[in-house]
């Protein structure tokens, strides 16, 4: 297994947000975590990205115990995050934002090749490479955020609500891009409130509610469960 999360507990001060969560992602998979607002999806993904410390439990990536690894070490190991809200530097150019993804020595050595790969995936970004990122549309800014993650040559890309705030017409494109990221060789862990889309691209999925995993399985199986149908699919 590429990523193994076992009995993970994460919280803020005294307030627990994620309890006893176990999930796995293998190489070549797209795994989705769905759940309502405030369920703990961002907390979970930030802990896997090394941005938040877990209180208990294990986090292994490609056999390495990540529990004591410092945040920059997560990136070094090949874990890249596309954060909620994109978090770009609006006044810096598209290319400068992309380059922030390859500050570590190994990815920096492959900078030119990675840029070509990102521009191959997102030709519009090549056209806009010298423009401030803040002038791009929402969908294009999301492409910059994904491109920045890819510049780190990750083995897994963590997506936090990639469809949030995008025009409905762009949302389908965004999920196509996620599939292309996987097809290009990185595993994908996706947390989303857009349940139908998140299940439609996933190989497997987990349902997170109030900080706990309450269901897991193949997307087709989950979509047949009465609770999922009522709570998420409105049927
Ligand atoms: P959303 O879709 O709204 O982002 P989420 O499923 O990602 O929801 P989290 O943002 O992980 O959920 O929040 C889980 C719980 O942790 C919530 O009860 C939230 O209020 C709490 N929480 C999140 N961030 C903090 C923080 N910085 N300090 C304290 N509590 C927080």
């Amino acid at each position: 297994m590429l990523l193994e999360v076992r009995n993970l507990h994460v919280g803020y001060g005294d307030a627990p947000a994620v309890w006893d969560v176990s999930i796995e992602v293998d190489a070549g998979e797209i795994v989705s975590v769905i759940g309502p607002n405030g369920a703990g999806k961002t907390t979970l993904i930030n802990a896997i990205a090394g941005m938040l410390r877990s209180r208990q439990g294990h986090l292994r990536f490609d056999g390495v115990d990540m529990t004591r690894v410092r945040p920059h070490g997560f990136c070094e190991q090949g874990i890249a995050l596309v954060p909620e809200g994109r978090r770009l530097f609006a006044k810096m150019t598209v290319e400068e934002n992309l380059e922030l993804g390859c500050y570590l020595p190994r990815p920096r050595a492959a900078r030119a090749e990675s840029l070509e790969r990102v521009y191959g995936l997102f030709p519009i970004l090549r056209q806009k490479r010298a423009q401030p990122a803040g002038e791009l549309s929402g969908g294009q800014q999301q492409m910059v955020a994904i491109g920045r993650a890819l510049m780190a040559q990750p083995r897994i890309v963590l997506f936090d609500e990639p469809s949030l705030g995008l025009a409905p017409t762009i949302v389908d494109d965004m999920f196509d891009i996620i599939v292309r990221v996987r097809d290009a060789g990185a595993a994908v862990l996706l947390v989303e409130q857009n349940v139908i889309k998140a299940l439609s691209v996933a190989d497997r999925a987990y349902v997170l509610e109030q900080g706990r995993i309450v269901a897991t399985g193949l997307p087709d199986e989950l979509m047949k469960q009465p609770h999922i149908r009522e709570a998420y699919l409105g049927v």
Side-chain angles (χ1 to χ4, degrees):
M1 223 17 99
L2 185 64
L3 173 72
E4 292 177 68
V5 176
R6 289 266 170 275
N7 310 110
L8 203 73
H9 293 245
V10 193
Y12 301 95
D14 290 335
V18 162
W19 282 274
D20 203 23
V21 163
S22 298
I23 66 169
E24 294 182 339
V25 183
D26 211 351
E29 278 194 310
I30 299 180
V31 173
S32 292
V33 176
I34 58 168
N37 240 322
K41 303 184 299 299
T42 296
T43 304
L44 174 63
I45 215 163
N46 283 345
I48 296 170
M51 317 265 289
L52 284 174
R53 282 261 163 235
S54 54
R55 292 177 172 176
Q56 274 182 56
H58 292 287
L59 190 58
R60 291 180 79 78
F61 185 69
D62 204 15
V64 176
D65 177 8
M66 302 298 290
T67 321
R68 284 184 175 66
V69 173
R70 304 245 290 261
H72 67 268
F74 280 64
C75 190
E76 235 157 15
Q77 289 293 329
I79 301 177
L81 173 69
V82 180
E84 186 173 337
R86 308 186 272 270
R87 307 282 174 92
L88 300 181
F89 289 90
K91 293 193 173 145
M92 287 167 65
T93 67
V94 166
E95 192 154 300
E96 285 165 349
N97 273 279
L98 292 175
E99 284 178 346
L100 290 174
C102 66
Y103 65 94
L104 290 168
R106 183 183 52 83
R108 202 185 316 131
R111 171 191 168 278
E113 184 191 312
S114 298
L115 263 181
E116 273 313 302
R117 221 178 118 217
V118 170
Y119 288 144
L121 195 57
F122 306 118
I124 187 75
L125 298 188
R126 190 193 298 275
Q127 283 173 34
K128 306 214 170 209
R129 67 204 293 173
Q131 233 171 285
E135 290 179 5
L136 270 57
S137 71
Q140 291 165 357
Q141 289 190 23
Q142 186 63 278
M143 291 176 198
V144 179
I146 296 170
R148 179 181 59 191
L150 295 178
M151 291 295 288
Q153 299 193 312
R155 284 184 293 159
I156 190 167
V157 182
L158 314 174
F159 286 90
D160 190 356
E161 304 270 9
S163 72
L164 200 71
L166 296 184
T169 50
I170 313 286
V171 168
D172 283 350
D173 296 345
M174 198 48 58
F175 283 92
D176 287 346
I177 288 166
I178 290 167
V179 173
R180 280 158 65 195
V181 167
R182 188 273 310 274
D183 292 346
V188 168
L189 179 66
L190 168 68
V191 310
E192 259 291 338
Q193 283 185 52
N194 188 332
V195 171
I196 293 181
K197 288 280 165 205
L199 290 180
S200 72
V201 295
D203 296 298
R204 292 184 302 109
Y206 296 87
V207 183
L208 186 70
E209 290 180 2
Q210 298 184 337
R212 292 186 172 84
I213 299 290
V214 297
T216 178
L218 300 174
D220 287 353
E221 291 167 6
L222 288 173
M223 278 196 253
K224 285 184 198 143
Q225 291 188 11
H227 167 68
I228 308 290
R229 291 170 68 80
E230 275 165 37
Y232 300 102
L233 306 177
V235 279

